[in-house]
Structures are given as C-alpha cells and as structure tokens.
Amino acid sequence: MALQSLDIKQRSATTTPSTQVRQTVEIAKLIDVSACIGCKACQVACSEWNDIRDEVGNCHGVYDNPMDLSAKSWTVMRYTEVEQNNKLEWLIRKDGCMHCADPGCLKACPAPGAIIQYSNGIVDFHQENCIGCGYCVTGCPFNVPRISKEDSKAYKCSLCSDRVAVNQAPACAKACPTGAIQFGSKEDMKDYAAKRVTDLKERGYDQAGLYDPQGVGGTHVMYVLHHADKPDLYAGLPANPSISPLVSLWKGVAKPLATLALAGVALGSLFHYVTKGPNEVSKEIEDEIEKEDAK
Amino acid sequence: MVAKVCGTPKEAFLKVCEYIAETAAPNKTMTNLYALGWTEHSVGSQNIRSMAIIQLLLGNMGMAGGGINALRGHANVQGITDFALYAQNLPGYLAVPSDAEPDLKTFLEKKTPKMLRPGQMNFGQNLPKWYVSLHKAWWGNAATKENGFAYDFMPKLAGASDVLSIFDQMYQGKVHGFLCQGFNPLASVANKKKVSDALSKLKYMVVMDPLATDTSEFWKPHGEFNDVDPSKIPTEVFRLPTTLFAETSGSFTNSGRVIQWRWKAANGPGEAKDDTEIMATLFLKLKDMYAKDGGAYSEPIQKLTWAYRIPTKPSPEELMMEYNGKALADVLDPKDPTKVLVKAGDQLPSFAMLRDDGSTTCGNWIYCGVWSQAGNNSARRDNSDPSGLGQTLNWGFAWPVNRRILYNRASADPSGKPWDPQRTVLKWLGDKWGGNDVPDMRPDAAPEQNVMPFIMTGEGVGRLFAVGLMAEGPFPEHYEPFESPLDNNPMHPKNPKARANPAARVYKGDMEAFGTAKDFPYVGTTYRLTEHFHYWTKQSKINAIMQPEQFVEIGEELAREKGITAGDKVKVRSNRGFIKGVAVVTKRIKALDVDGKKVHTIGIPIHYGFKGATKPGFITNTLTPFVGDANTQTPEYKAFLVNIEKA
C-alpha cells in the first residue's frame, strides 16, 4: 500500500533482481472459523486502520454487509447456515486476500511494481503504479481484488503490511475478541492450527483441518475449518484453487505477441502523426477542462 | 413439564441438567452469566433467583469461577447502578427514607437488619455508620447530631419512581419538567406511543447527550417513522451537548465490580461540556436564585457541601475522593481508644472506619478505599496474577474493600480447608483467614466459631426460602408472559389468576393495550446485534455500514406459510403499533412445540430509529408492552405477541 521497510521478493512486470541479504521470517494469519462469532469487529478495525469507509447500504435479507468486497471493503464476513450431522451450523468465513505464495495477481499484472510480494509472504498492491487494467482480478483464484470507480486502481487487503513492518499484528487480528484471528510466523500458525484441529476432532468434527491450498503454493492467510473436506460449504471457498490458464498464456506465449501489438500501436500513432499532424483539442473540450479546474 | 412450557426438547434439557449437576463436585464449578435475556421478563427477578438457588445448592457460591453474575451491557452499568441509578436507592444501595420514617432514629431502626442467629456477622447492622457518613458528605457541618445529621434535608420517597412509573405519571400529566441525561427513552422504553404521548404533556424537557437523540426530536415528524403533529405538542425542548466518555476522565466499574480509572483522550467538539459542569452550573444558578428570591425550604440546597476548587467544574478526582470519604476527627480503635486508626483529615482506607457519630464522611460506602491515603487505587495497573486464578488484586480496585469474589468464605469447608485445594480462594491459617483474596469474613473468626459465609443476611446463610423480600412468594414460580400464545399457565391450567405474574404492576390503559393470540399469533422478542450498541451506534458511520438497515428474523417454516422470502419488506404489528423492516429468513429460528401448540417466534433487533447514519427506521419499542418485572420493573421486551405480513 505504501512505502515500507520490508524486503521485496518479487515485483510485477519487473526483472530487476530482488534483495538477498537479510533473513526474514515467513508470516501468516490464521482464521479459526470454528471460533468466529461473526461480530464484524475485524471489518470495523480494517476500515479504521486503513481509512476506508464503504457506502451505508441496505439489508438484503442476510447478516452479510457490505454484501461483497470492494475498493473500500477489504474484508467481509460471509454467513452460511448449513445442516451437518443433523445439527445446524452457522458457518462464518472472513473473506479477503489469501496472500498466495504463488500470487496469480502479481503474475498477471503488466504494470511494473504495481504488485509486490515481500519476502515475509505479504502480497501488496502499490496503487501509485497501478494502471487499472484489472488483470489482477482475472489472475486471482479467489476473486478478491476490486477496481475503484473513483481512481480506477485495484485495492485489496494489504495484511496491514505497514503494521507488520513495525512488528504489529494486522488490525483485524488485534480487534478480534475471541482469538479467531491469530497472527505470527507461518510455522507457529501451522502448529497452532494443528492444536485446534486436534481439539475439533475430539469434539466430533472428524474432518476438521487446515486450509493452506498447495495449488497456489500455500497461502499466508489460512483457515481452520471444521469441515476441511468441504471448503465449498464456507460461501464457496474453492477446494483446489489455481491460477487461471489465461494468466500463464499471457505470461508465456501471448506476452511477446502483446509486446508486438503494442509496438504496432506505437508505429501506427507515428504514422498518424506524420500523415495527419498532432491531435487538436477542440475549443469545447478546453472550456470544459478550465471549468473543472476552476472547481 | 419444562418441555411442555418452553418447547425445549426433553433430551436437550436433561443433558443441560446433567452438565449443571456435575458441578456439585468440590473440584468442579459452574458460573452463571446472565443479561437481558433473563431480566427483560415480567418474571425476570425470579429467573435469576431460581439460578441463585441452584448455585447455592450446588456449592458454587464463593468459589473461583462460580457465582451468579450479571453481564453488564455497557462499560459502566455497574457503576451507574452503584450510584443510585434507581431512585429507590441511595448510593451504595442504601434505602431511601420515606414519609413513614419521620426522623433518623425511626428510619435507622426500621432499616437496620436484626441478627437472626447468634454469632453471625449480620454486616448490614452497620447501616447507621454508612448512612450518617453519607449525610456528612452531603451536608458537612450542617449535619449535626442534634438535627439528626440533617435527616430532614434528604428528599423522601413518595411512591414508585422507576422508569415505567415516571412515564406513567408523565402520561397522566403529573410531570412538568424532565431532565433527560444520557438516556433515549423514546427508543428504549416500552410502548413508544405512550412514551411519545407522555413527553407531549411536559412543559419542558432538557436533553443532555453527546448525540442528537430520537427523544430530542420526538416532536418532529419523520415520515411514517415518527408520525407526529408538532402543532399539537407544547413541550419546549432544550438540547445541551455533552462530552462523550472518551472526552472526560473518570472511572468505569465493570461486571466484576472492579473500578478502573480512565483518562481523557480528546477534547469534546464545539460547545459540548462535561455532564458534571452542566449539573454544577445549574445547581449554582438555582442556589443563587434561592438566595436572591427565597423559596420554600431552601436549606438542603443552600447547605449542600460544594468545596470544589472550581465550583462550576467539580473534577472527577475531587468527586472520587468525596465518594471514598475522609475522617473529620481522629478515628479511634473501639477496642483500644488510645489508638488512632485514621488521623483527622485523612482519606479513609475502608468502610470499617466509618462511624455513626458524624466523625467520618463517605459519599458511597461500598466505594470506601478506592481513594485512600495511598492515592487513587482505581488507577492501579499491575496485572500480575500470582495464584493463576485471575486474581489480579493490584489492578484497579474492586468494591467492597478490593474483594474479587463475594462470599469467598464458602470456598472453604466448615473447618476452613478449601473445597478445591487446586483453586484456593481462602483458607484458615490457624489464627486468621488468608489465601488469594480479601476474606469475606471477620479476619480472626476461627472456623469453630461457626460464623457463616453469607455475612449480609441476619442468619449468615444463603436464603433458599425468602420471606418478604420478593414481590412474589418465597419460592420462584412459573408464570406466562403478559402477552402469551397460551390461554393458561400450563402449571396451573385451571387458575386464570396464576396465568401471568400476579405481583406485577399494570397501569390503567396498559392492560387494554395487551393483544391476544387470536389477533397476534406469533411471539415477538427483541435483541441486540454485535454490530451495534443500543441506539448510539446508529449515529456512527462505520457501525451503520456494518448493519445499515432495520430487519426482522423469521424461521423458514413461517416464511413459507406467509409467502415471505429473504429481502422482502415486511410489516410487524402488535396491539400497540407497527414497524417495517427487511425479512431475514433463517434456520436459526425454529417453530416450538409449546403445550401441544406450534409457536413461531419473530426476532426483532432493536437498534434502529429515525435519527442517525443508518437508513431511517421505526423504533422497535413501538411494539413492546408497558409492563415490567414485579420487583425491578424492567419491561417485558423478550416476550410479547405480534403478527407479520408482507409490507
């Protein structure tokens, strides 16, 4: 999101080698769905820390609100009522960026330095470099990034990279009243999850488990699920997420073609300039711009 | 019978009973935490008393992790209650004198509890010390032995003064002016129509609040949400903006009775003033007017102690010191009068030092010790917990005398050994009581003296059978809510007088406003959402984003019967009015089988109104009945009758 002191592992559309000297710890946020009460304190904390305020919407007949992720809602609770083993369960999943080890958004991004992966695992958007093309949306296997209507830039959870850089837990983890959001090294989080899974199994959730999908190289936001065999129960959490083949196509075969196409456009423009002269701005448009400036 | 009355499946109920009964073992303890789900019934006090009896029988009182505990809905509900939120009490839950007690002697004789068994503590026998010290705090030198410590200055209680009774008196036109401080009664009191009509009969209302509340605009039309005609409302309304809790220092007292000092974080906006400044300014103005113009019996106002550094701004520190109290003369040891326990002018260390001869002051006896000579003990912040039981005795200050677990003598057996040595709260050390808490027992009372743990009763034991203390009988009894889907009380099907609580108070006109199951076949119940706090946070943008619009919840079966789908606009009616909201259809609310009848419930979150950042909505208490618990008069918000249709 902003200037930071974290080491960078990779940057979108950049071939400059990354730093190698410092040793950093891989971090993770663990969301224990079985301990979540759906209070939305994490949503509130996210809005407050990141200075984002979504619209005051309407009730759509469910507890979810705002209804979906947006440029101003980087995390939302998704509530599902299911009957499992003849018992009603209210599954509440905190949705947001998973911070994939192999981030589809970064891979798809054509704007140099708009998407960053830090050596600690956080995938961050640097909006000042974002061109608003929306390729990250296509590239994301979890349908997370959203393009702002105000500035045409992509936004999503930064895992509070600014807080993490100064040894603070993300705002959501800090605000959670039940300890359902834990934060620490990925290793510690896996250990913690293992204890939770054992506990859940003892309580009759035979299929309890950790969600850390390997199709994207594992994630730096993980879930403890009571029904790890059916992630789809949790508002459509994908069972085997992977990066869209379109992204590989773009990065592989299509990229040189696209470069060629861009070169073609440039050549065309030159031809246009030579034959027709510079584009002229009409008087009306100039007046319009002046009026805007006067505001 | 339980399954028949409340619709809980028999097996589930028995399972819960088993879990509870298991805690009779000495090394197993159960706590009971209750909130409005238990209190907001016409039998609320009996609900809690029933569990208190169970906890006594199981031996769960006085134990670490035991007891019966009110979960307060706000950071300082305990504190405001300690300081006479209910006008039937003085600070520290002291009785208020009435016209039946014409002088101090009569009052104290009547209210001081008698010892019912020899050798017990009967701690309430100290009432004269607490009461006289309160008068000394309030009226100082004007309170003398000769004038009964200014007993005549204390206003005498004239009948009920709870919220429902005050609004009923207002409704009858018997109240002229209303100071509404930090309170939004139009939204939070039962039967909005009656409250609105009552407010319309005032000459004036002063609203002291950080927010522009619904109450402060009860006279203003807000479409169908507040359908009133201002030309017919003569009430003059004044709004005095106050600071919020974060904009002033002071203390919070939590559910565990721990008093915690907190520090001002920001200045209030605009012309907002602290509540104390507004009250002080108003008081000084009144005092001035009495001095200039005279008036009936102005002495109690003229002689009220007001020794604050800035008279218009009593500081939170000065107030806390006043509540704690100080010695006006040397406090001597009754066993050895040559020994001075507290020097004249010093802050008192505990209410054991209070005297009934006028030599001590104390604004609230249970807070005595919070600001001793050692300073502000509520500001202590040492969270060390050497016992591992959560006994952080050096964090803040718990009333009484920093004791964290009430009746903790009951955590040890009659011989003084802890019932559960792994979780020792108290034990007899041979010559005194010790352990991990401040003993709730005379420190040198050896076990063989048989001083019983329940020191506030005259007999020293808990009361399973309580005569003359509840408005109802000595044992709890089941009654149906005033509005019930059942015609009779299943426990007394042939006694129509035992259908609803016979001890509850119903005012003229309110009985007629009750509906019947014929017209209103469904049970309505109101509650809160995690995203909002009462009627405040609808004024806050972020909370409004999280839960922006009024909704009502119904089960899938009822939704099918009524042709309602999630997201539809619905209208919920009771015999007192209607509200509209968005339907949330849920598996979480199921039809209950009650006394052979299928009963559907409609859940109604309370938080919405016509003022705020949320979408304008109706006030939920338009629906609720104007009847309360027979003892506390807490309204019956949790069970009433409604009907529902697509709007």
Side-chain angles (χ1 to χ4, degrees), chain A residues 2 98 122 148 150 167 193 252 254 268 289:
Chain A
M98 300 295 284
I122 293 178
S148 163
E150 282 160 56
N167 259 328
I289 290 168

Side-chain angles (χ1 to χ4, degrees), chain B residues 403-603:
Chain B
R403 183 177 297 131
R404 306 293 161 133
I405 300 175
L406 291 179
Y407 306 118
N408 56 29
R409 166 64 182 90
S411 70
D413 69 11
S415 74
K417 286 196 207 68
W419 287 111
D420 182 1
Q422 297 298 310
R423 290 181 293 169
T424 298
V425 182
L426 223 61
K427 60 182 169 194
W428 178 248
L429 300 173
D431 57 344
K432 60 172 194 255
W433 289 96
N436 298 309
D437 200 359
V438 176
D440 200 353
M441 176 61 26
R442 201 170 65 233
D444 60 354
E448 51 276 17
Q449 290 180 28
N450 276 324
V451 185
M452 293 288 144
F454 295 87
I455 67 165
M456 297 307 285
T457 64
E459 62 273 35
V461 294
R463 284 173 177 160
L464 302 179
F465 187 85
V467 182
L469 293 169
M470 304 288 283
E472 300 92 352
F475 273 135
E477 172 64 77
H478 169 75
Y479 299 112
E480 284 295 307
F482 273 80
E483 287 189 341
S484 164
L486 305 185
D487 296 330
N488 295 299
N489 181 344
M491 298 192 59
H492 304 284
K494 294 201 175 111
N495 182 358
K497 283 181 182 163
R499 193 189 69 87
N501 191 345
R505 184 188 66 197
V506 182
Y507 286 114
K508 193 167 159 281
D510 293 329
M511 188 66 92
E512 293 71 24
F514 293 147
T516 62
K518 194 168 115 310
D519 304 318
F520 303 97
Y522 310 118
V523 174
T525 190
T526 69
Y527 45 86
R528 285 142 186 84
L529 303 171
T530 54
E531 293 91 336
H532 282 291
F533 179 79
H534 291 204
Y535 305 95
W536 294 19
T537 57
K538 67 181 161 73
Q539 308 241 16
S540 150
K541 176 120 193 228
I542 293 189
N543 299 77
I545 293 165
M546 297 304 143
Q547 221 39 285
E549 189 178 18
Q550 191 157 34
F551 63 85
V552 297
E553 298 197 79
I554 57 172
E556 291 176 335
E557 194 181 342
L558 181 62
R560 269 196 303 276
E561 273 177 30
K562 291 277 172 182
I564 295 167
T565 50
D568 285 350
K569 259 267 195 270
V570 291
K571 186 174 180 178
V572 179
R573 287 184 299 123
S574 80
N575 206 31
R576 292 159 292 276
F578 70 89
I579 66 162
K580 290 176 189 170
V582 176
V584 169
V585 179
T586 173
K587 292 182 200 293
R588 286 172 288 110
I589 298 181
K590 295 221 157 40
L592 299 173
D593 175 10
V594 181
D595 204 17
K597 202 174 160 181
K598 185 178 271 186
V599 174
H600 290 289
T601 304
I602 296 175

